[in-house]
Amino acid sequence: MRIFDNKETDYLIKAILTLESEEECKAFLEDVMTTKEILDMSQRIHVASLLKDKVVYSKISSLTGASAATISRVNRCINYGSGGYEKVLEKMEK
């Protein structure tokens, strides 16, 4: 079973799609996630943007504080995942 094949995750996705501003997004994330979870996700998207720019692991680690394991996981998702990082990074560039 994929993680998004249930009613709870469908509900989460629908909730996220209702957000219309940065302030709404910040408020929702602060309520639904722990500070650590928000920081971890933020770090991963930063790592993904640096990997896209072909920055080496050691530099990414020094810039973000991410472990080699985290960088490797994000890289694996970029190369073999669902394409989520690429889509988000492309949209952020516009």
Side-chain angles (χ1 to χ4, degrees), residues 5-67:
D5 289 342
N6 66 65
K7 289 180 182 181
E8 287 81 13
T9 53
D10 286 347
Y11 206 67
L12 172 63
I13 297 302
K14 287 176 185 172
I16 291 169
L17 290 171
T18 67
L19 302 171
E20 297 179 2
S21 69
E22 275 189 44
E23 288 307 312
E24 285 184 4
C25 188
K26 287 176 184 178
F28 178 71
L29 292 177
E30 188 174 342
D31 286 350
V32 78
M33 298 170 71
T34 66
T35 300
K36 174 131 174 51
E37 289 168 334
I38 294 168
L39 293 173
D40 287 348
M41 287 184 62
S42 301
Q43 182 185 65
R44 289 182 195 141
I45 193 68
H46 189 191
V47 166
S49 71
L50 294 169
L51 286 168
K52 185 179 179 218
D53 291 340
K54 307 293 184 203
V55 178
V56 296
Y57 277 34
S58 58
K59 182 71 171 176
I60 292 172
S61 182
S62 69
L63 289 171
T64 66
S67 68

